[in-house]
Amino acid sequence: MTDRQTSTAPHGSADVVILGAGPAGLTLGNLLLAAGIDCVVLERADRAHVQTRARAGFLAANTVRVLDRHGLAEGLHRRGIPHGTCEFRTEVGRFRLDYGTLGRGEQHTVYPQQDLVTDLLTHYLAAGGRIHFETEALTVDDAAGARPTVTVRAADGRPGRWQARYVAGCDGRHGAARRSLPSTARRHHRDHGVSWLGLLAEAPPSLDAVGYALHGRGFAGHMARTAEVTRYYLQCERGAAPDAWSQERIWEELGLRMGAADHGPLRQGRIFQRSVIDLQSDVIEPLRHGSLLLAGDAASLPAPAAAKGANLAVLEAELLAEALIDDLSHGDPATLDRYSRRCLAHIWRAQEFSHWMIQLLHAPLGSDEESHFHASLRRSRIESLRTSRTHQDWFAENYVGI
Ligand code: RFL
């Protein structure tokens, strides 16, 4: 381990202290470093954890453009897989949308988030970037002034303090940046009342498309990750324990909801990761509080139904880098003043589409009048998506767009 990545130096200063080494923090770190801005990344977890945390996989065309612009896309071009088709399965049949040829004609690139994070970290370190793993930010103080400080704790419990001109809160939804917001910050929060059992299976994808199965027993989803790994989702009861279902029961339920008997069997394998995800959305407004700026999941959390989170994180990191470079290198604070407004336009667009997807993928499962009404609306929405080119173009533009 070199000095640059030590976990034993909790004191210091930098023009920009970045909290969190996820897609947002590491994209920001790379862009600031390339512009000659003095910055440091403080990360709670150790390096191995950061590089192996499997989450997102579908990168929007704009995300690839951002990473391309800054020379950060080599790995994803080499190993990522272009993807432009999704398939909807219902109890009356199935249909496909080649969304890559609809709307703006843009595709996703399937590239596991942990590979993207590894690429960003490797690039950052090779360029001389400073990062401290196992350094947890506890609070951000004095953000209203020109010298904010970050109180930290190293893995061995030793306390420390970092001084900055700006603090970039890229430490996710439960991080120190959110905890340190003033009472004037507004948090919009919505619980969609739906939960998913998120699964990673050691099995090749079962179809060459994203699969969305809308079934009377609940939603099931299929998303490729690599040639050997596939992500599946099963709608489950709120409060369910991740290990409540045996592997056999999971494959049986996936097969049932995805209509394996009619549309072909699923390629099964060992399920090596499982977690229960409560579908929730939130947005912090504004994203700037004096010298503290939020990006990525710290700024907004779109429910994962539309795969927007990592894409927003990269987009916001680029906008934040531009704003900080204008201020710190050119003495022009105007871009920083606009940062929150520029991001929020993208964030609310993503929230709106994610909300629409949640309505599309889930209907109440009961047999009462209210459930019947919503299930019928949902059927009509799906039928419109199946038959209307205008609706399909709108879907494609929003599905890949960010
Ligand atoms: P991250 O990736 O959570 O990184 C935050 C980092 O901050 C560290 N940290 C701290 N460090 C210092 N001090 C503290 N007090 C700290 N607290 C936390 C953490 O250890 C971590 O390293 O946030 P970032 O950079 O904002 O990136 C956001 C994305 O990770 C997230 O939005 C996506 O994973 C969401 N998401 C998806 N997004 C997509 O764009 N496409 C997808 O296909 C997609 N699939 C998904 C997803 C999220 C999922 N889960 C986990 C709900 C699939 C799933 C299952």
Side-chain angles (χ1 to χ4, degrees):
M1 200 179 255
T2 70
D3 276 342
R4 290 197 315 270
Q5 21 175 148
T6 176
S7 61
T8 58
H11 295 270
S13 69
D15 280 343
V16 182
V17 171
I18 301 169
L19 311 183
L26 289 172
T27 302
L28 178 63
N30 273 295
L31 270 50
L32 294 180
L33 200 60
I37 305 274
D38 170 36
C39 62
V40 65
V41 178
L42 307 180
E43 165 58 50
R44 183 181 58 189
D46 64 22
R47 183 172 180 176
H49 182 76
V50 163
Q51 293 190 179
T52 52
R53 190 169 36 202
R55 297 174 86 185
F58 274 64
L59 300 182
N62 189 58
T63 306
V64 177
R65 277 195 292 273
V66 170
L67 296 169
D68 257 334
R69 257 199 295 278
H70 303 285
L72 299 168
E74 198 217 324
L76 73 86
H77 284 307
R78 212 158 6 97
R79 299 191 303 278
I81 302 164
H83 196 287
T85 307
C86 61
E87 180 170 305
F88 289 90
R89 296 182 174 184
T90 71
E91 277 151 327
V92 297
R94 62 175 168 171
F95 67 93
R96 285 191 161 212
L97 289 184
D98 287 322
Y99 63 82
T101 63
L102 296 162
R104 295 198 182 124
E106 293 183 335
Q107 296 201 324
H108 282 118
T109 300
V110 182
Y111 193 56
Q113 181 169 324
Q114 66 273 29
D115 292 355
L116 175 65
V117 164
T118 299
D119 293 350
L120 291 171
L121 181 58
T122 306
H123 197 276
Y124 180 72
L125 289 171
R130 287 193 288 160
I131 183 163
H132 294 272
F133 291 104
E134 298 180 80
T135 301
E136 181 182 10
L138 300 176
T139 57
V140 181
D141 296 308
D142 304 324
R147 293 301 288 172
T149 55
V150 181
T151 307
V152 301
R153 182 172 53 205
D156 59 11
R158 277 176 315 114
R161 211 171 165 76
W162 281 81
Q163 282 216 310
R165 282 279 295 106
Y166 291 105
V167 176
C170 304
D171 51 349
R173 187 182 172 203
H174 302 293
R178 276 202 178 190
R179 279 199 305 275
S180 307
L181 290 172
S183 57
T184 48
R186 202 158 161 205
R187 179 178 174 225
H188 306 272
H189 177 255
R190 174 161 288 256
D191 184 336
H192 302 278
V194 177
S195 299
W196 286 357
L197 181 58
L199 306 158
L200 279 174
E202 228 169 49
S206 297
L207 53 158
D208 57 350
V210 179
Y212 296 113
L214 284 51
H215 194 274
R217 294 170 66 90
F219 164 74
H222 161 284
M223 274 137 228
R225 280 297 184 258
T226 65
E228 297 89 30
V229 173
T230 306
R231 187 175 270 294
Y232 286 93
Y233 294 111
L234 270 177
Q235 186 179 347
C236 63
E237 300 239 321
R238 178 60 58 96
D243 51 4
W245 298 30
S246 67
Q247 296 223 24
E248 293 67 34
R249 176 156 178 232
I250 286 171
W251 285 115
E252 197 181 308
E253 192 68 27
L254 281 168
L256 195 67
R257 295 190 195 179
M258 296 199 66
D262 296 327
H263 308 307
L266 301 177
R267 301 170 82 171
Q268 302 188 9
R270 185 176 70 90
I271 288 164
F272 66 92
Q273 196 207 73
R274 45 170 92 194
S275 58
V276 171
I277 306 152
D278 295 335
L279 268 58
Q280 299 183 0
S281 310
D282 66 19
V283 181
I284 301 290
E285 283 195 85
L287 303 186
R288 178 181 181 184
H289 297 272
S291 315
L292 171 62
L293 300 122
L294 306 183
D297 280 6
S300 84
L301 185 85
K308 297 293 183 201
N311 293 297
L312 278 175
V314 171
L315 173 94
E316 289 158 21
E318 188 189 43
L319 294 177
L320 183 52
E322 194 188 320
L324 289 168
I325 293 164
D326 276 354
D327 185 79
L328 292 167
S329 297
H330 311 302
D332 176 4
T335 322
L336 209 45
D337 292 339
R338 286 201 306 271
Y339 169 69
S340 182
R341 206 166 357 104
R342 290 174 84 190
C343 287
L344 284 165
H346 294 279
I347 285 172
W348 281 112
R349 185 74 225 110
Q351 289 286 359
E352 194 279 328
F353 183 68
S354 164
H355 191 257
W356 181 88
M357 276 295 276
I358 290 167
Q359 307 293 315
L360 186 79
L361 301 180
H362 310 92
L365 301 176
S367 54
D368 54 300
E369 179 50 37
E370 173 82 1
S371 302
H372 177 76
F373 183 79
H374 284 287
S376 302
L377 287 185
R378 201 260 293 265
R379 248 194 309 281
S380 170
R381 212 173 287 139
I382 281 283
E383 189 55 11
S384 168
L385 196 56
R386 187 178 74 82
T387 54
S388 159
R389 172 66 199 242
T390 309
H391 202 168
Q392 293 169 358
D393 283 329
W394 176 88
F395 172 82
E397 187 175 327
N398 286 279
Y399 190 55
V400 197
I402 191 83

